[in-house]
Amino acid sequence: MKLETKSLVLMAVAIVINVVVGQIAVWIKLPLYVDAVGTVLVGILAGPFAGALTGVLTNLIWGLISDPVAAAFFPVSLVIGALAGILARMGWFKSVGMTVAAGAVIGVISTIVAVPIIVYMFGGVTGAGTDFATAYLLAVGQELVQSVAIANLVQNLADKILTCLIAWLIVKRLPMRFTSGFAFYGYTKA
Amino acid sequence: MAVARPQGADHALLYVPGRSFLHRLNPLTKLTLVLWCAVAAFALPPEGTIPLALLSILIGSFAGAGRVFARRLALTLLPLSVALFVVHGMLVDHAGARASLLGLDLSREGLAYMVRILGRIAALLSGSLLFVCTTHPSRLLKALDAHRFSPGAAYVIASPLLLLEPFTQRAKAIREAQMARGLDLEGSFMTRVKAFPALLMPLVTLALADIDHRAQVLDGRGFRAMPHRTVLDAPADSRQQRAVRWAVLVSIPVLIAGGVLWHL
Amino acid sequence: MALINVSGLSFAYESTPVLQNVNLSVAPGEKLAILGGNGSGKSTLAQWIAGWLPRGSYAANAGEVTVEGQPWAELDAATRAGAVQFVGQVPMQQLSGFSFTVRDEIAFGPGNLALPEAKIRARVDAAVEICNLGHLLDRDPFSLSGGEQQRLSIAAALAMQPRALVLDEPTGNFDPESREALLAQLEKLPGALAIVWCDVTLGAPLSVAERVLLLDGGRIAYDGDVAGLLTHPRTAEIFGLPAVAQTALMLRERGLWPAEAPISMDVGRVASALRPMLESAR
């Protein structure tokens, strides 16, 4: 599948958006990552294939610049980009309500993909804040997989809904001269 | 959804400039070795992964990247160790004998599991650090171009790395400007959440504004006019390195088979 | 045959008309300036001349642009790249975003054509010489100043060995010093290269151009030499005339300007036109 040059440039910029917006979230001490805004944006503008590729490459770039272990989570990012594209194709980014629903779907499914990686590769922990929730759930008698799933689901749902809302807001504000170059956007435009 | 990220880390590369043997190796040879390390990290028991990690750290230090190795390994392994100790040493109901340490009731099985995970992550991390610390992305891309890799794929790897620095600078400039206008990054949770769009929107708008023009610039310069490109000063390759790459690739299935047999 | 031919071109963004029945041709090696105020359509015309339009859903309402007799759409990517190169006004947007050094940025285009390494090196060396970039070869393109980036973009364009170079307000954000440096560099360009310089001011482009087009509301209002542009009624309204040209026009109105001398913006030329008159008065 050969992507247009414009889609390739969008993907490159989206990867930068992922990283820099994630950085801004750290600045304002948000307890969420918000590091997939660009990936969702590409899903909406250029479709599931470009979205998935943007996700995978973002993790690869993370690996090169700061944390090689982050690359291990590439399947999660792949699913986020692909789902954003598929849901956009179904018209789920047309309104704010639908966008929240899309964020919830992406949050649930990406958690389902992330949990086996966390459990198998990292023994159920990530070295981040969610480990406290995991430990708490274990202490009150949950099994490991359930604990990891619940702890990450709560955080991930909030994260992906916020991510989708930001991406939706950005797309809505784009000038027509810009979006007209992305035929796939026709599925989102009312 | 990634592992804990170093707070306030800048986006400079992990690359450490140098002229060591590893620096001079063809990036594709190093990439093959990383692949081998990644498989070994999963296939080998702790008796294999821990020495592998130690060996990588030793080589990395000789290549001049000791400080990066120490920092990255500490940032990743310390929080993981604490979390694994609590979760598997104390909480998860592992079968087998329990041990008591400093008044804590610990599972021996759980502690062994913790060592296994830590050995695996250490091997994985130090193996990939060997590559990342001694390979500038431009060398990797030139090696890929020289091996007739698709120019489009090379672009989406190169371009974010190049754009990251100017855009991080832009983001910082926007932050300073907004703070001068009274934005409070130390305020209450709601104040900070409200600051998010003010910081993010101008940046994203700016980033997207360049796209159309840059795509035209690329097409105008014959981007993807041919299935592959010519690069100046491609990294040196040799028959020995090609042989090593093949040998490493062939050994990977053997490694996997060995790992499976060991687990049986 | 004309290098570039624009015939009966009309174009609109959505429903806003931008160009209306534009006709012009550029000969090989010709130095042309297309001048107009903001919103006159010159940037859009520049993009048509450079083959950046039509694209996506944007097509001409009427007319077409041909390169050596062939419409843009019929040329393959490599031929297009060797025909016309475009350098726009925002320096950072002109960079490929592919290259980690200035040398690789210049080599990017010829590399895309899969030319042999020796040929690429020769092209890079030639472009570096013209654009005076020798001391910056190993720098990150994104770390350069705007003026340096613009010189780099022109070098990268030259490395494609085009037959025409289209410049859209290339000195727009420059201080006078960088502008002088760029002009000095343009003088070193090969004579066979056609230049189409689009701008909103009279100064810099007129020191390069032999022929000037005045674009007003999407139509060509004037097509001729520099002297004729300075006396065109719309010129003073759109651009404001420099003091030298104003003085010359005033003198002409009062019958004090020598009939054979052209109106110019160049102080030296005006002085030499006036010298015989002043000497005879003495």
Side-chain angles (χ1 to χ4, degrees):
Chain A
M1 179 163 178
K2 185 156 175 169
L3 290 161
E4 278 177 60
T5 305
K6 195 170 169 178
S7 301
L8 288 178
V9 179
L10 173 71
M11 285 164 62
V13 168
I15 293 170
V16 175
I17 292 176
N18 281 342
V19 176
V20 180
V21 172
Q23 183 60 53
I24 295 175
V26 172
W27 288 347
I28 63 164
K29 302 185 194 75
L30 212 62
L32 302 169
Y33 291 115
V34 211
D35 57 0
V37 171
T39 307
V40 174
L41 208 60
V42 175
I44 298 174
L45 288 172
F49 177 73
L53 212 54
T54 308
V56 171
L57 286 166
T58 300
N59 282 51
L60 213 79
I61 302 283
W62 262 121
L64 284 172
I65 58 171
S66 84
D67 186 359
V69 178
F73 284 94
F74 81 86
V76 182
S77 302
L78 184 153
V79 164
I80 294 169
L83 277 175
I86 292 166
L87 294 174
R89 174 76 180 72
M90 291 158 58
W92 281 45
F93 286 94
K94 281 187 177 171
S95 69
V96 63
M98 297 289 273
T99 301
V100 171
V105 169
I106 294 175
V108 170
I109 299 182
S110 65
T111 306
I112 294 173
V113 178
V115 166
I117 300 175
I118 298 173
V119 170
Y120 182 66
M121 252 189 83
F122 297 91
V125 300
T126 59
T130 44
D131 290 353
F132 291 104
T134 306
Y136 171 78
L137 289 162
L138 278 168
V140 298
Q142 292 286 334
E143 291 293 315
L144 180 65
V145 175
Q146 280 91 318
S147 306
V148 172
I150 296 168
N152 284 280
L153 182 64
V154 174
Q155 190 207 31
N156 211 12
L157 265 178
D159 190 53
K160 293 305 169 294
I161 290 174
L162 181 65
T163 300
C164 286
L165 278 174
I166 294 172
W168 175 77
L169 214 67
I170 293 167
V171 163
K172 225 181 55 155
R173 288 182 172 195
L174 288 173
M176 197 167 147
R177 208 182 270 204
F178 180 89
T179 51
S180 69
F182 294 100
F184 191 85
Y185 183 59
Y187 296 115
T188 296
K189 211 169 42 181
Chain B
M1 174 73 49
V3 286
R5 186 177 301 163
Q7 296 275 312
D10 58 17
H11 296 122
L13 294 164
L14 292 172
Y15 173 73
V16 181
R19 307 189 135 270
S20 74
F21 170 69
L22 264 180
H23 281 86
R24 282 177 283 128
L25 220 51
N26 188 290
L28 297 184
T29 309
K30 287 186 264 187
L31 209 54
T32 329
L33 290 170
V34 173
L35 186 66
W36 190 89
C37 280
V39 175
F42 286 91
L44 298 179
E47 293 85 339
T49 54
I50 293 170
L52 184 63
L54 291 174
L55 182 68
S56 298
I57 296 168
L58 197 68
I59 299 174
S61 306
F62 276 121
R67 281 178 62 187
V68 179
F69 269 69
R71 187 181 139 80
R72 255 336 308 174
L73 284 163
L75 277 171
T76 302
L77 294 181
L78 289 180
L80 270 185
S81 308
V82 174
L84 284 168
F85 184 81
V86 174
V87 167
H88 287 280
M90 295 160 65
L91 296 173
V92 173
D93 212 2
H94 284 284
R98 300 196 68 87
S100 169
L101 184 75
L102 301 169
L104 294 173
D105 175 35
L106 301 171
S107 153
R108 278 179 191 280
E109 192 80 4
L111 292 177
Y113 184 75
M114 168 180 117
V115 171
R116 203 171 101 204
I117 297 281
L118 288 177
R120 173 191 296 166
I121 300 298
L124 204 57
L125 182 56
S126 44
S128 35
L129 278 175
L130 273 187
F131 173 79
V132 171
C133 289
T134 64
T135 316
H136 192 276
S138 64
R139 303 298 292 163
L140 170 63
L141 286 153
K142 286 192 174 196
L144 291 173
D145 274 335
H147 282 78
R148 312 203 150 195
F149 193 66
S150 130
Y155 177 80
V156 274
I157 300 172
S159 197
L161 290 168
L162 278 159
L163 294 175
L164 213 41
E165 185 53 34
F167 277 103
T168 307
Q169 292 308 323
R170 280 181 179 184
K172 282 182 182 156
I174 292 168
R175 179 179 63 172
E176 302 314 319
Q178 299 284 14
M179 279 166 80
R181 279 182 225 152
L183 184 83
D184 185 7
L185 290 180
E186 305 295 325
S188 73
F189 181 70
M190 277 323 286
T191 338
R192 284 181 283 128
V193 168
K194 280 184 191 146
F196 204 26
L199 291 168
L200 171 154
M201 280 303 182
L203 186 86
V204 174
T205 313
L206 223 58
L208 294 176
D210 285 352
I211 289 178
D212 220 359
H213 198 97
R214 186 156 293 128
Q216 295 288 333
V217 167
L218 288 169
D219 284 339
R221 299 221 194 116
F223 181 54
R224 301 196 294 174
M226 303 285 165
H228 57 87
R229 357 184 5 247
T230 314
V231 283
L232 298 181
D233 312 309
D237 204 357
S238 62
R239 197 180 305 159
Q240 289 94 320
Q241 289 201 51
R242 269 193 289 277
V244 168
R245 289 203 291 269
W246 277 112
V248 170
L249 286 177
V250 168
S251 78
I252 286 176
V254 181
L255 192 64
I256 296 172
V260 171
L261 286 178
W262 185 82
H263 280 292
L264 287 179
Chain C
M1 191 197 290
L3 178 61
I4 300 162
N5 196 61
V6 180
S7 56
L9 182 67
S10 294
F11 174 72
Y13 277 119
E14 278 83 54
S15 55
T16 324
V18 183
L19 297 174
Q20 296 178 57
N21 192 26
V22 171
N23 291 285
L24 79 107
S25 66
V26 183
E30 187 170 18
K31 318 289 183 223
L32 172 71
I34 299 179
L35 303 175
N38 287 318
S40 61
K42 66 190 165 4
S43 287
T44 306
L45 180 57
Q47 294 198 16
W48 273 100
I49 293 174
W52 284 24
L53 282 162
R55 65 167 185 271
S57 52
Y58 294 121
N61 297 339
E64 64 168 359
V65 180
T66 56
V67 180
E68 289 176 338
Q70 278 190 293
W72 269 114
E74 287 173 19
L75 303 175
D76 64 79
T79 316
R80 293 168 76 104
V84 182
Q85 283 291 313
F86 179 93
V87 175
Q89 46 183 308
V90 183
M92 215 170 100
Q93 288 182 346
Q94 316 307 316
L95 302 173
S96 68
F98 200 118
S99 316
F100 288 80
T101 62
V102 166
R103 182 188 285 106
D104 286 339
E105 177 71 11
I106 304 171
F108 171 73
N112 283 330
L113 304 180
L115 298 176
E117 212 176 317
K119 270 198 179 157
I120 298 180
R121 262 180 220 289
R123 287 186 178 202
V124 170
D125 290 347
V128 164
E129 166 65 30
I130 292 175
C131 300
N132 187 24
L133 291 164
H135 55 300
L136 299 171
L137 283 176
D138 293 313
R139 289 273 299 278
D140 172 357
F142 285 92
S143 74
L144 302 179
S145 74
E148 290 167 337
Q149 282 178 345
Q150 205 69 330
R151 266 156 56 207
L152 171 57
S153 310
I154 292 176
L158 291 177
M160 300 307 282
Q161 299 191 336
R163 275 159 292 157
L165 183 61
V166 179
L167 305 165
D168 183 18
E169 292 186 50
T171 59
N173 311 317
F174 284 18
D175 54 71
E177 202 177 315
S178 318
R179 192 169 303 139
E180 286 308 313
L182 188 81
L183 283 173
Q185 175 198 319
L186 291 178
E187 275 172 25
K188 292 196 275 177
L189 290 179
L193 177 71
I195 294 178
V196 179
W197 182 322
C198 304
D199 219 316
V200 286
T201 59
L202 296 177
L206 294 191
S207 62
V208 174
E210 303 153 344
R211 178 182 150 207
V212 190
L213 270 165
L214 177 63
L215 208 59
D216 192 10
R219 295 172 193 276
I220 295 181
Y222 171 80
D223 183 349
D225 63 5
V226 176
L229 174 81
L230 294 177
T231 51
H232 190 277
R234 285 289 284 149
T235 305
E237 290 169 41
I238 298 173
F239 307 102
L241 284 177
V244 187
Q246 265 177 16
T247 313
L249 282 172
M250 212 163 71
L251 289 172
R252 196 171 72 165
E253 256 171 49
R254 297 183 189 171
L256 295 169
W257 186 257
E260 68 285 0
I263 302 286
S264 169
M265 283 173 50
D266 189 284
V267 179
R269 273 196 214 163
V270 170
S272 59
L274 292 177
R275 181 165 300 136
M277 198 174 69
L278 292 171
E279 274 168 4
S280 67
R282 193 186 302 157

